[in-house]
Amino acid sequence: MTAATHSTLFPQVPETPDAVLDGLDPEQREVALALHGPVCVLAGAGTGKTRAITHRIAYGVRAGILQPATVLAVTFTNRAAGEMRGRLRQLGATGVQARTFHSAALRQLQYFWPKAVGGELPRLLERKVQLVAEAAARCELRLDRNELRDVTSEIEWAKVTQTVPADYPAAVAKTQRDAPRDPAVLSQIYSTYEQLKRDRSVIDFEDVLLLTVGILQDRSDIAEHVRGQYQHFVVDEYQDVSPLQQRLLDLWVGDRDDLCVVGDASQTIYSFTGATPDHLLNFRTRHPGATVVKLVRDYRSTPQVVHLANGLLSQAHGRAADHRLELVSQREKGPEPVYAEYSDEPTEAESTARRIRDLIAAGVPAGEIAVLYRVNSQSEVYEQALADAGVPYQLRGAERFFERAEVREAGTALRGAARAGRNDSLLDEAEGLPSQVRAVLSTKGWTSRPPAGSGAVRDRWESLAALVRLAEDFETAKPGATLTDLVRELDERAAAQHAPTVQGVTLASLHSAKGLEWDAVFLVGLTEGMMPIAYAKTDEQVEEERRLMYVGITRARVHLSLSWALSRSPGGRAGRRPTRFLNGLRPGSASSGARSGAGGGGGIDRGTGRAAASRTPAVERKHRGPVRCRVCGRTLTDAGEMKLMRCEECPSDMDEALYGRLYDWRAAQAALLGQPDFCVFTEKTLMAIAEAVPSTEGELVVIAGVGNRKLSRFGTDVLAICAGEAVDGEPEDGVDQT
């Protein structure tokens, strides 16, 4: 899957080297012209870093300053490398190597292994999980799926930080790493895993880097060969390099200084894999004469989105925060970010799906919308909600576009039709390239209307529809293009992994959304314990969670929604709190000490679509006549709603911290009385108290479920808690004691 773009039209290759520089802003142009010596580009989110470095390479190649075969551009994902190759091709800079660290190292390892070691390179282990499971079993441990994944990740971390099994326990202690098992036990599993690989003559992906480093260190002749081949290096996402990748880069570069690095310390979100921003932050120390260019003009997001992103980082701490970039939006004003609070997760998902459906109806393409969450397990409820709403979606993490079975079949069919030309009866009535493609793909499942619902049939149709749109754009850019031309374009795109956009709302974790962007982004599940995640204990871990949220916010171009649910399931205790990262940023949360549930207006959407009501004191219930919702005025008939004096779905201005104290106090009182909790007060009554925040007996007694008897028994305690005072017998700290 690729980042959504506003157009898939095919730009014309610039006619001259100077034309490559057209359209660059002053800072981007400075990057493009800095072709010699060490260069460090500090590039904020949405500032056009990929544009700057690809134009830099293309200008150098087109001007004859750089030889294409001597340039190696490295990044961290196949998608990013594919995008870079696609852009370089469009700029007329063919022959430049743009690869991931692993891909570049594997090519070198395959080439030099016979000379350096002899024989064939050991087989590459595609997935190490099974071998890790066997290693654990030999250590008399049986790991479930989640434990197996965690132990495998821990082995990967140890290897990229160049930590051998015997040193692993000490490394964990030194870094204060939260190991999934006892470090001594993990060390034993790690050692057994390495022995199993040796016994079976296999290597894993981390070994590719380790072995390449070993050969380049031990064989100066091979190192010089590589340095003779590659003389100019560009490293994208430099804040994510691991110590092992940095060691490999040092060996590639040698004692030369033709190195350009690009990164943003505020987007360091992969430290669990061994990534560290230290190499980026220390670049000028290692290279005192380096050219440093800062890109802060944000072309992606509206001023409203950028303002929130800047505000989030303004509260950050630590070394990365000291080097944060203050972004300046270059776009027209847009809508304010929406903050939505829901009673439970299913309601949050259903409301999100409805809002997405409304956006699509208003003209926002489904492929320009994303729902982002902290962990993958959160996706299921959104998959169901979108399917129920009839909204197409796609999950990040599926196989690459050109590797999908339906895309391979379509390519074969188009290739056959191109060879047959007008001898293919399918093309008899097809005029123009798009019509020909539609005719061919109609035999593979494409129809003019998408199939209903979701699932495999819809996924197949979306892939074929992406090819149809590509053909339409191709003909617009190149009038008179033939099927043969399109097939050649598809082959080049497949080789570069430069996929077209698939139309469907993207569901993705925040980590997998890095490097992508959409017109509309929904950040969901933003509660304490999920953002920051519960196991983020140290200050640095919490700060990385803040950076992760920053990455999520800066994926949005125009529409941004941030939401949370007060409970996991309908009817559950509404004990959750919005993430601390929004304190002081969302309306009604002026500081971390302010009531997190108070406030309204100013872009806040409490999840109902109605305007939030200002706080109104509880009013005396009428014994005759209808009871009306104090927010929308609707007549209430449900007993629970009558207690709250509002509709269940109307916005709540409840003080969550107060509700938590009342909830815990009630549990303590019920235990003293030896009665169920509801005999003290029902949850609806507690919610009504937390919404009204009574300060006098008169304000408290009129709340449904209180009455004179309970007022005399519990009124003093309740009013004291509402006033923020301590109460005898209340659990220590008063909050979250259950």
Side-chain angles (χ1 to χ4, degrees):
M1 272 162 253
T2 61
T5 54
H6 287 294
S7 173
T8 54
L9 295 178
F10 300 78
Q12 297 295 318
V13 174
E15 294 183 359
T16 65
D18 286 343
V20 172
L21 303 176
D22 290 346
L24 299 182
D25 68 29
E27 293 79 23
Q28 293 171 344
R29 189 181 182 91
E30 188 175 347
V31 172
L33 293 174
L35 291 171
H36 299 290
V39 178
C40 179
V41 183
L42 301 176
T47 58
K49 69 177 179 63
T50 305
R51 176 180 175 83
I53 59 175
T54 52
H55 281 68
R56 177 182 188 271
I57 295 170
Y59 176 73
V61 169
R62 297 286 301 276
I65 300 170
L66 305 176
Q67 297 303 310
T70 67
V71 179
L72 177 59
V74 289
T75 186
F76 288 83
T77 67
N78 287 313
R79 184 203 59 78
E83 180 183 1
M84 194 178 293
R85 287 193 294 269
R87 292 201 190 192
L88 289 170
R89 182 168 63 90
Q90 291 169 350
L91 292 170
T94 57
V96 173
Q97 293 292 311
R99 298 185 172 277
T100 65
F101 271 100
H102 282 88
S103 173
L106 181 58
R107 279 171 62 92
Q108 293 175 19
L109 195 60
Q110 290 170 330
Y111 183 81
F112 292 112
W113 184 270
K115 178 179 180 180
V117 182
E120 292 186 0
L121 180 69
R123 180 174 61 87
L124 181 61
L125 193 64
E126 292 290 339
R127 297 180 70 250
K128 60 172 68 71
V129 172
Q130 190 59 45
L131 208 59
V132 172
E134 187 174 339
R138 293 199 177 191
C139 297
E140 299 183 345
L141 286 172
R142 185 169 182 174
L143 306 177
D144 64 28
R145 181 185 302 175
N146 291 331
E147 290 175 319
L148 192 56
R149 180 195 62 208
D150 291 344
V151 170
T152 301
S153 296
E154 201 65 9
I155 290 174
E156 291 171 349
W157 174 83
K159 298 186 75 166
V160 300
T161 55
Q162 303 175 83
T163 304
V164 298
D167 295 340
Y168 172 76
V172 169
K174 181 179 179 181
T175 59
Q176 296 183 303
R177 190 171 177 83
D178 189 11
R181 285 250 174 178
D182 179 85
V185 173
L186 277 170
S187 175
Q188 186 181 7
I189 297 173
Y190 179 14
S191 178
T192 306
Y193 167 75
E194 291 296 311
Q195 186 60 52
L196 284 172
K197 286 198 291 106
R198 287 191 292 270
D199 293 344
R200 297 176 188 181
S201 296
V202 295
I203 59 175
D204 60 26
F205 278 100
E206 290 70 43
D207 291 331
V208 170
L209 300 183
L210 285 164
L211 291 170
T212 306
V213 165
I215 288 175
L216 295 177
Q217 284 181 160
D218 295 343
R219 293 289 299 268
S220 58
D221 57 328
I222 293 177
E224 288 306 313
H225 185 121
V226 171
R227 292 166 192 160
Q229 170 68 49
Y230 297 116
Q231 299 167 19
H232 193 90
F233 298 85
V234 177
V235 185
D236 194 12
E237 304 288 4
Y238 192 56
Q239 77 278 353
D240 289 332
V241 295
S242 69
L244 179 56
Q245 289 164 331
Q246 180 62 47
R247 181 61 187 142
L248 178 59
L249 180 62
D250 289 340
L251 288 165
W252 281 341
V253 176
D255 57 3
R256 299 164 298 174
D257 61 3
D258 278 332
L259 171 65
C260 174
V261 301
V262 189
D264 178 10
S266 296
Q267 296 188 68
T268 305
I269 59 173
Y270 297 112
S271 67
F272 60 91
T273 67
T276 170
D278 290 346
H279 305 297
L280 175 66
L281 299 177
N282 294 336
F283 191 82
R284 290 195 75 171
T285 302
R286 296 185 64 190
H287 303 278
T291 299
V292 178
V293 183
K294 294 182 180 180
L295 303 182
V296 296
R297 301 175 197 247
D298 188 323
Y299 297 95
R300 176 188 300 159
S301 304
T302 62
Q304 287 73 18
V305 173
V306 168
H307 178 71
L308 178 58
N310 285 337
L312 181 69
L313 286 189
S314 71
Q315 301 178 355
H317 305 282
R319 192 178 180 209
D322 293 340
H323 293 79
R324 71 184 182 90
L325 300 168
E326 186 85 11
L327 300 179
V328 181
S329 176
Q330 306 298 299
R331 297 194 58 165
E332 296 292 326
K333 290 183 178 180
E336 292 289 340
V338 172
Y339 302 86
E341 180 178 279
Y342 300 96
S343 58
D344 52 71
E345 288 182 8
T347 301
E348 182 181 13
E350 291 161 9
S351 297
T352 300
R354 286 196 299 270
R355 293 183 59 202
I356 288 173
R357 188 175 58 194
D358 292 344
L359 279 175
I360 294 173
V364 180
E368 294 282 9
I369 303 173
V371 177
L372 307 181
Y373 34 76
R374 178 60 180 83
V375 295
N376 286 320
S377 60
Q378 293 173 275
S379 75
E380 184 177 358
V381 66
Y382 290 93
E383 293 178 57
Q384 186 62 54
L386 290 171
D388 291 344
V391 175
Y393 67 87
Q394 54 181 332
L395 283 170
R396 280 283 296 167
E399 74 275 25
R400 299 179 198 168
F401 181 82
F402 288 106
E403 293 174 4
R404 298 176 187 176
E406 64 269 22
V407 174
R408 292 199 303 269
E409 292 172 13
T412 300
L414 290 170
R415 196 168 287 105
R419 283 197 300 266
R422 282 299 175 180
N423 293 324
D424 191 330
S425 59
L426 274 173
L427 307 181
D428 286 347
E429 299 181 4
E431 292 296 331
L433 180 61
S435 294
Q436 294 173 357
V437 172
R438 293 188 200 102
V440 174
L441 297 188
S442 65
T443 66
K444 300 299 176 184
W446 181 85
T447 57
S448 59
R449 290 175 176 249
S454 58
V457 174
R458 180 61 183 248
D459 290 344
R460 181 182 180 89
W461 185 90
E462 292 289 354
S463 296
L464 298 177
L467 292 175
V468 171
R469 287 191 299 274
L470 189 72
E472 293 168 349
D473 289 347
F474 191 63
E475 186 186 56
T476 301
K478 300 179 182 295
T482 65
L483 265 179
T484 300
D485 296 328
L486 178 64
V487 167
R488 187 180 302 113
E489 173 67 24
L490 289 174
D491 288 342
E492 291 178 358
R493 280 175 166 255
Q497 284 299 324
H498 184 203
T501 300
V502 176
Q503 286 302 323
V505 173
T506 299
L507 297 178
S509 70
L510 286 164
H511 280 102
S512 64
K514 178 75 166 63
L516 304 177
E517 59 185 76
W518 297 269
D519 277 349
V521 169
F522 291 79
L523 299 182
V524 299
L526 299 178
T527 60
E528 286 290 312
M530 193 61 74
M531 178 56 67
I533 200 75
Y535 51 74
K537 303 295 186 184
T538 67
D539 290 344
E540 180 49 41
Q541 289 169 341
V542 171
E543 286 306 311
E544 181 151 338
E545 292 288 300
R546 188 192 305 274
R547 295 194 294 269
L548 185 58
M549 186 168 170
Y550 172 79
V551 166
I553 288 171
T554 55
R555 300 309 95 194
R557 296 194 190 103
V558 181
H559 305 279
L560 176 63
S561 173
L562 306 97
S563 65
W564 57 91
L566 299 178
S567 67
R568 184 175 185 275
S569 54
R573 176 194 170 189
R576 291 177 171 177
R577 298 188 300 277
T579 172
R580 72 190 75 169
F581 296 148
L582 291 177
N583 289 343
L585 299 175
R586 63 185 179 93
S589 61
S591 69
S592 59
R595 289 175 176 171
S596 58
I604 282 190
D605 176 354
R606 289 289 195 174
T608 64
R610 299 187 177 98
S614 59
R615 176 174 295 279
T616 55
V619 295
E620 184 174 355
R621 279 187 300 151
K622 302 291 184 181
H623 294 285
R624 293 180 182 178
V627 177
R628 299 187 183 278
C629 172
R630 60 187 173 86
V631 178
C632 70
R634 182 176 71 84
T635 299
L636 303 177
T637 57
D638 177 82
E641 292 183 337
M642 292 170 71
K643 283 190 175 184
L644 290 175
M645 294 294 291
R646 64 170 175 82
C647 303
E648 189 75 48
E649 68 270 23
C650 272
S652 167
D653 47 6
M654 181 177 70
D655 185 330
E656 291 100 304
L658 173 58
Y659 178 84
R661 288 190 63 196
L662 289 168
Y663 189 98
D664 295 332
W665 166 85
R666 182 186 70 163
Q669 291 294 319
L672 288 173
L673 297 171
Q675 296 178 338
D677 290 2
F678 67 82
C679 289
V680 180
F681 288 122
T682 66
E683 289 195 15
K684 284 289 195 298
T685 299
L686 290 186
M687 291 176 67
I689 294 171
E691 290 184 358
V693 195
S695 59
T696 66
E697 289 187 352
E699 291 175 352
L700 176 60
V701 74
V702 296
I703 294 176
V706 179
N708 289 324
R709 184 175 65 85
K710 291 189 177 181
L711 176 67
S712 63
R713 193 169 192 179
F714 306 120
T716 302
D717 280 1
V718 170
L719 290 173
I721 292 172
C722 289
E725 300 169 1
V727 174
D728 290 340
E730 185 183 24
E732 192 174 351
D733 293 333
V735 183
D736 291 342
Q737 300 295 323
T738 56

